[in-house]
Amino acid sequence: MMPRKKLNPRGFAVGVLMRAVEDAALAPVRAEAEQKLTAWLTAAKARYQERCGDSIPNEAAEECAQTCYSLNCMTGAPGHYTPRPFAEWPDPVEAADEDMARWAQPGAAA
């Protein structure tokens, strides 16, 4: 078992400062990623609402868009999913259409 290091005020302050610098450096990248994700989810949600009309509530369309994102834009094993690079994301309208096509297949609903 490794001995525990005692946390002292100086070490804590250095850690907080390093975290603040890291957060500031990554802020533009995070903002861009959030913007791309929001645009993708909005387009997918709009497609679900367009195809389903009034039969799908707003919350259900949002949930469908999030599930579609998870299926098409994430990679990894259960519990360890990570987003794929944005360049590999499919068009949200096409992804939503493919998802809805699976709904119509016999035996697709479990």
Side-chain angles (χ1 to χ4, degrees), residues 1 18 25 31 36-37 47 57-58 66-67 70-71 80 87 97 104:
M1 194 158 109
M18 289 177 62
K36 288 179 179 180
L37 174 60
R47 185 61 174 168
N58 193 41
Q66 291 171 0
T67 302
S70 296
L71 292 171
H80 301 285
D97 285 343

Side-chain angles (χ1 to χ4, degrees), residues 7-79:
L7 184 62
N8 62 41
R10 183 170 179 250
F12 178 75
V14 169
V16 169
L17 179 61
M18 289 177 62
R19 177 63 189 248
V21 169
E22 178 183 334
D23 287 348
L26 292 177
V29 175
R30 284 192 183 122
E32 181 183 0
E34 280 184 29
Q35 186 178 27
K36 288 179 179 180
L37 174 60
T38 301
W40 199 97
L41 290 172
T42 302
K45 176 184 164 189
R47 185 61 174 168
Y48 283 107
Q49 290 176 321
E50 178 184 322
R51 293 268 313 264
C52 297
D54 293 334
S55 65
I56 187 169
N58 193 41
E59 296 81 20
E62 287 177 10
E63 197 169 308
C64 288
Q66 291 171 0
T67 302
C68 188
Y69 167 79
S70 296
L71 292 171
N72 291 288
C73 304
M74 301 289 280
T75 186

